[in-house]
Amino acid sequence: MLLGVMLSATLFGIGVSCVFSYQMFESYKLNTCSKYDGCEMKDFNPNDHLPVEELKQQIDYQRIKLLLPYLKKLESSTDEANLTSTYANLRDVVVKHKLILFFSGCYGSYNQIKNQIDYLSKKALGHEFLHMASSNEKSDKNMIETGFYLAQKDNQNKVTSIGYGLNEGYTELLASRLFYNGKITAYKTEVQMALLFELFFDNPKEMQDLYLNHDLLGFIKHMENFAPRKEIIKTILYIDVINDPSVLNITHLITSKTKVIKSFHSWLMETNPSLEKQKQFHEIIKEDPFMKFVLQNQSTKLINKKEKLEESPKVKQKKLI
């Protein structure tokens, strides 16, 4: 869990919610978070880092021995080129065991600005380690880049943020694969959303690379091969709504989840997926009774629409010709 965006926690020193109203969904532009809109942004650039070997030499491995098992497994899963932020953060990361987390209802947290991992249980260390590993060490009080999450504060102290739900889901998914033998212990719905996004990559490692380089913009750019950019951004924002525990309006949550599932289904089917991709899609969906219901309802509507189209005089006339 990223410290700063849960219930009454704070981000950039002020209370922030990652939830956007539905009116904002319709008018939302990632104008403070996207180079693709022609707006300035402090993009991640691997060339800003020292060489990997030099970064590794600056790490006190004895001081971070608690994190070494997680580092070794991550190193075995990807190229060193994707670990520049990981090594940069390991130079001065602070790891603290905090019993007070018990009262917040979470087992661990990571503060990007302080580069600090707090944990109640060691079970949370893998998840929080990945937050650290995927965070831009240059994150500060004005801008945070971590995994698939972006947050930026403008001159009027207004915060624009996107991707919190997707980031938590993918972090838990990757942690389960690397450290916990595939066991999901948190963010189950968000993990399913991350799995659905992963279907749009020929190689799942490509999505992992983008995550480790905290490149949400590159992720959106990749997804533009399958759907309009505006739809992709809306879907990521809907996942933020699903993730936010302060959203108590059940209608909003149901609407958000329904829209996300319908979007994934339409994007996938319109891109002529293989039978294997279709099978994977249905395997993910069936794990959630609500998502399964929405998909079945969507499929029924599509079948009825197709039948009506085939019965129309114009279509019949075309067939005769």
Side-chain angles (χ1 to χ4, degrees), residues 22-41:
Y22 290 91
Q23 290 76 22
M24 289 180 72
F25 277 165
E26 298 306 317
S27 61
Y28 181 77
K29 279 185 76 176
L30 202 58
N31 57 357
T32 58
C33 292
S34 176
K35 64 183 179 183
Y36 304 121
D37 280 333
C39 300
E40 288 187 10
M41 177 185 159

Side-chain angles (χ1 to χ4, degrees), residues 202-264:
D202 292 333
N203 183 351
K205 291 289 186 181
E206 295 174 12
M207 186 167 172
Q208 180 178 318
D209 293 349
L210 290 168
Y211 168 83
L212 289 172
N213 287 295
H214 40 82
D215 192 1
L216 176 63
L217 303 181
F219 174 81
I220 292 172
K221 191 67 175 175
H222 171 83
M223 286 303 301
E224 286 183 85
N225 293 312
F226 309 96
R229 187 170 179 281
K230 185 177 180 181
E231 287 185 18
I232 298 162
I233 291 172
K234 277 186 181 181
T235 299
I236 294 173
L237 290 172
Y238 281 127
I239 297 172
D240 286 347
V241 173
I242 294 167
N243 171 261
D244 197 305
S246 67
V247 181
L248 302 178
N249 188 319
I250 191 66
T251 302
H252 284 184
L253 292 174
I254 289 174
T255 300
S256 297
K257 203 167 184 179
T258 299
K259 286 183 177 292
V260 169
I261 298 160
K262 287 182 176 180
S263 292
F264 278 122

Side-chain angles (χ1 to χ4, degrees), residues 273-289:
S274 65
L275 291 177
E276 180 60 28
K277 289 282 187 182
Q278 292 183 52
K279 181 181 177 182
Q280 291 174 0
F281 177 81
H282 286 282
E283 287 293 320
I284 297 166
I285 292 296
K286 77 176 186 181
E287 293 297 318
D288 186 309

Side-chain angles (χ1 to χ4, degrees), residues 22-228:
Y22 290 91
Q23 290 76 22
M24 289 180 72
F25 277 165
E26 298 306 317
S27 61
Y28 181 77
K29 279 185 76 176
L30 202 58
N31 57 357
T32 58
C33 292
S34 176
K35 64 183 179 183
Y36 304 121
D37 280 333
C39 300
E40 288 187 10
M41 177 185 159
K42 186 172 58 178
D43 276 337
F44 168 74
N45 185 344
N47 295 326
D48 290 343
H49 291 287
L50 294 172
V52 168
E53 287 306 317
E54 189 171 341
L55 287 171
K56 292 169 72 174
Q57 290 172 8
Q58 295 178 5
I59 298 171
D60 182 347
Y61 288 94
Q62 182 62 29
R63 187 178 64 82
I64 62 161
K65 62 182 179 179
L66 194 62
L67 301 179
L68 290 183
Y70 305 102
L71 175 61
K72 289 180 180 179
K73 289 186 178 180
L74 180 60
E75 287 175 327
S76 68
S77 76
T78 189
D79 296 331
E80 272 196 344
N82 295 315
L83 298 177
T84 49
S85 289
T86 304
Y87 294 131
N89 283 322
L90 283 172
R91 293 176 302 175
D92 60 0
V93 65
V94 176
V95 183
K96 292 186 177 181
H97 181 236
K98 286 196 173 182
L99 295 176
I100 196 170
L101 284 174
F102 174 81
F103 300 100
S104 70
C106 64
Y107 288 102
S109 67
Y110 174 64
N111 186 308
Q112 305 92 330
I113 299 173
K114 293 181 179 181
N115 191 23
Q116 179 171 318
I117 295 174
D118 295 331
Y119 71 98
L120 173 64
S121 167
K122 287 185 178 179
K123 293 179 180 179
L125 276 177
H127 184 103
E128 305 310 329
F129 169 82
L130 287 178
H131 279 317
M132 181 220 69
S134 61
S135 291
N136 188 345
E137 76 278 10
K138 295 179 175 60
S139 292
D140 55 31
K141 64 180 181 179
N142 294 313
M143 186 167 182
I144 284 176
E145 292 180 304
T146 178
F148 290 131
Y149 176 67
L150 286 178
Q152 185 173 346
K153 185 169 69 173
D154 63 20
N155 294 331
Q156 286 74 45
N157 286 332
K158 179 182 177 182
V159 175
T160 302
S161 63
I162 181 173
Y164 188 76
L166 172 60
N167 189 51
E168 289 293 356
Y170 189 78
T171 300
E172 180 64 17
L173 174 62
L174 189 57
S176 73
R177 289 171 172 170
L178 293 178
F179 315 131
Y180 306 120
N181 297 315
K183 185 178 180 181
I184 304 297
T185 59
Y187 303 108
K188 185 174 181 179
T189 297
E190 293 86 343
V191 167
Q192 289 170 323
M193 302 300 178
L195 281 167
L196 290 173
F197 268 121
E198 198 176 58
L199 291 176
F200 295 91
F201 290 81
D202 292 333
N203 183 351
K205 291 289 186 181
E206 295 174 12
M207 186 167 172
Q208 180 178 318
D209 293 349
L210 290 168
Y211 168 83
L212 289 172
N213 287 295
H214 40 82
D215 192 1
L216 176 63
L217 303 181
F219 174 81
I220 292 172
K221 191 67 175 175
H222 171 83
M223 286 303 301
E224 286 183 85
N225 293 312
F226 309 96

